[in-house]
Amino acid sequence: MAFMSPTDSLFLLTETDKQPMHVGGLLIFGAPEDSTSSDLINQALEDRRVSDFLRNVAEPHFAGTAWTWRHDADIDFDQHVKRHQLPPGASEGDLLALCAQLHSERLDRSRPLWEIHVIEGLPLDRFALYAKIHHSVADGVAALSLLRSRLSDDPDIREMPAPWVDAAPEEQPSHSGAGPLRSLVSLVKDGVSTAPALADMTLRSLASRGGPLSISAPKTVFTQDISEERAYAAKSWPLERLRLIAKSADCTVNDVVLTMCAGGLREFLIEMGELPRKSLVAMVPVSMRPQSDDTTAGNQVGLLTCSLGTNIPDARERLLHVSARMREGKNFIASHNATQNLVTSAAAVAGLAPMVMLGRNLLVNPPFNVVISNIPGPSEPLYWNGALLEEIHPLSIPVSGLALNITCVSQCDRISVGLTAASDVVPEPDEIAVDIDSALDELERSVGL
């Protein structure tokens, strides 16, 4: 029995039917080289073995304030792995709509907190996997590392196990739990050591100098209560386009990603007649893992807030503004240790907890307007029994008061942006995806490309 960290437990404590706390990924594969996708899927579904890591059930303790993992030796395979057939002539929009529907459905806590949906019927004998896993189990970096361990960079390898089967022993993720007394002692020690960091965070927020805390975000159309229904859109671009902009403007690719999203949100809100005079603020998760291939279960994520410059008409000036704010935030992280960064991040969003737990927006002005994550994915082509992984599209978590979540994943020479929204607030997030595409064109022109 392993106790969860307070961060991991929080995703269970704040979950409601309207706010499922799982993340997801849509993986699109090309046709296998020497068989059909149907044959490959049939063979995989015959293997009903399940990884030990995927047999853990969350259990509450101390009136639900702390949670542990319990191993389940006899899970119901058919409740976790399911097969879908798209209708003839189905489009990518139909695939994304199916994923939005599946992403709306809360995971059953009486079972291990994951599902994998195998989806057939894509053109050219392609197929897809939509996988979702509770955020208490893994953050985005750990989930992608787990994915990487199930695939191969060798297109000629066959007889690979299904994604739900055990990986090699050295690639197995592990839960890093501790006893409740030890966790309490550590928390007290950490509280003493993080007091200066919390003071620094507060002073930076008052001076608008970057860091985890923001007190300047305006109210927007996204600051609403939400229903349980989800809408989803995804779009991808060659990564080289972003690299050239970053080189021309002497900034990072992540700065370009944030500014693309800022430009898209600005245009979307202008079209609605709802652009605030003050800049939107993004919450930007930052991995605190020591290595990008770390598969330790749970969450090791710090947070930064970043003014997106949506009140700046010029695209290049907006990019320079975002880059400067992110540089200030990174300086904050660099000047504190991992524990301090995790604690200050938790403190910065503590005010959201009652709102999230009640499923109602209780704030006149939110601390930030949108979550924008950028997760590094595999840098080399990956295969599953000869089928090339062509695309990865991420899905994430909207909550009341934050009805839109934007998550980006890079893969080889492309980057994908997934927009997960509460459909009653943002019924057509594909409109924002189109505006982000236009914002990328605008950024290229602004730096002379």
Side-chain angles (χ1 to χ4, degrees):
M1 181 177 71
F3 273 84
M4 295 183 202
S5 72
T7 301
D8 297 345
S9 295
L10 188 63
F11 288 106
L12 291 162
L13 289 167
T14 58
E15 184 173 50
T16 67
D17 288 339
K18 293 182 179 182
Q19 297 174 158
M21 289 291 173
H22 55 257
V23 293
L26 172 62
L27 285 59
I28 301 177
F29 290 87
E33 291 188 358
D34 48 9
S35 66
T36 67
S37 61
S38 182
D39 288 341
L40 179 57
I41 291 167
N42 287 336
Q43 182 179 0
L45 290 174
E46 290 175 359
D47 192 345
R48 300 170 71 86
R49 296 174 297 165
V50 175
S51 165
D52 281 345
F53 172 67
L54 297 176
R55 291 179 176 273
N56 291 306
V57 178
E59 289 195 332
H61 291 265
F62 310 126
T65 59
W67 291 74
T68 62
W69 294 113
R70 172 181 60 82
H71 183 74
D72 186 352
D74 187 27
I75 72 170
D76 186 344
F77 180 85
D78 294 322
Q79 294 295 329
H80 293 274
V81 181
K82 304 179 183 182
R83 190 172 192 171
H84 304 264
Q85 177 72 48
L86 293 174
S91 67
E92 181 176 305
D94 295 318
L95 174 63
L96 298 183
L98 173 60
C99 290
Q101 175 190 336
L102 296 171
H103 201 67
S104 302
E105 298 167 1
R106 181 175 172 179
L107 289 164
D108 186 343
R109 290 194 186 180
S110 68
R111 305 186 180 104
L113 297 173
W114 64 276
E115 291 176 1
I116 294 178
H117 298 260
V118 184
I119 305 170
E120 301 176 83
L122 297 177
L124 303 176
D125 199 33
R126 296 152 76 225
F127 66 97
L129 298 178
Y130 162 73
K132 65 180 180 181
I133 190 166
H134 202 276
H135 214 321
S136 62
V137 181
D139 57 31
V141 173
L144 274 178
S145 297
L146 187 61
L147 160 69
R148 174 65 182 86
S149 71
R150 265 58 175 179
L151 304 177
S152 172
D153 57 9
D154 186 344
D156 298 321
I157 291 182
R158 299 296 184 269
E159 306 301 325
M160 294 176 63
W164 48 86
V165 179
D166 273 331
E170 65 273 12
E171 295 171 330
Q172 280 293 339
S174 60
H175 287 285
S176 54
L181 180 59
R182 199 172 97 192
S183 297
L184 179 61
V185 171
S186 297
L187 187 62
V188 172
K189 290 181 178 178
D190 292 342
V192 173
S193 69
T194 55
L198 290 167
D200 184 20
M201 175 186 73
T202 304
L203 291 173
R204 283 172 175 266
S205 68
L206 292 172
S208 299
R209 286 177 38 238
L213 181 63
S214 167
I215 56 173
S216 60
K219 188 173 183 179
T220 71
V221 294
F222 308 125
T223 315
Q224 299 185 42
D225 296 343
I226 66 173
S227 72
E228 65 275 11
E229 299 300 324
R230 297 290 175 263
Y232 180 66
K235 195 169 184 60
S236 64
W237 301 268
L239 193 54
E240 185 63 17
R241 292 182 66 185
L242 281 67
R243 288 176 176 145
L244 288 173
I245 295 172
K247 183 177 180 181
S248 298
D250 192 25
C251 64
T252 68
V253 169
N254 190 56
D255 295 338
V256 178
V257 169
L258 288 168
T259 309
M260 286 169 55
C261 295
L265 291 169
R266 172 183 162 86
E267 184 59 30
F268 176 75
L269 293 171
I270 287 175
E271 292 166 357
M272 294 185 66
E274 296 283 353
L275 180 68
R277 295 181 64 181
K278 294 178 65 176
S279 172
L280 270 66
V281 176
M283 189 267 273
V284 184
V286 179
S287 176
M288 295 287 107
R289 294 177 180 272
Q291 299 177 8
S292 61
D293 59 352
D294 180 7
T295 59
T296 304
N299 291 265
Q300 298 181 45
V301 178
L303 305 175
L304 291 178
T305 56
C306 178
S307 168
L308 293 175
T310 51
N311 57 343
I312 301 174
D314 182 77
R316 191 176 193 282
E317 290 300 315
R318 194 181 311 126
L319 175 59
L320 296 177
H321 171 86
V322 168
S323 180
R325 298 291 83 76
M326 283 303 293
R327 190 160 51 247
E328 291 171 352
K330 291 173 185 175
N331 288 340
F332 176 90
I333 287 178
S335 62
H336 301 93
N337 62 39
T339 297
Q340 291 171 329
N341 283 316
L342 290 171
V343 172
T344 53
S345 296
V349 297
L352 289 176
M355 179 178 78
V356 176
M357 293 179 74
L358 295 173
R360 296 187 59 189
N361 175 38
L362 304 176
L363 302 176
V364 176
N365 290 90
F368 41 84
N369 305 107
V370 62
V371 178
I372 304 179
S373 308
N374 187 14
I375 304 171
S379 58
E380 72 281 0
L382 295 177
Y383 301 84
W384 182 45
N385 289 308
L388 174 65
L389 175 60
E390 295 181 346
E391 300 176 49
I392 303 175
H393 298 304
L395 296 88
S396 198
I397 304 173
V399 296
S400 285
L402 296 165
L404 175 68
N405 185 298
I406 302 177
T407 304
C408 311
V409 171
S410 59
Q411 181 216 357
C412 296
D413 58 352
R414 297 192 69 80
I415 186 165
S416 171
V417 173
L419 299 103
T420 312
S423 60
D424 55 329
V425 179
V426 186
E428 297 182 355
D430 54 309
E431 294 178 356
I432 304 178
V434 171
D435 289 333
I436 292 174
D437 186 45
S438 299
L440 176 58
D441 293 339
E442 185 183 24
L443 272 173
E444 288 176 324
R445 292 192 298 269
S446 74
V447 298
L449 295 175

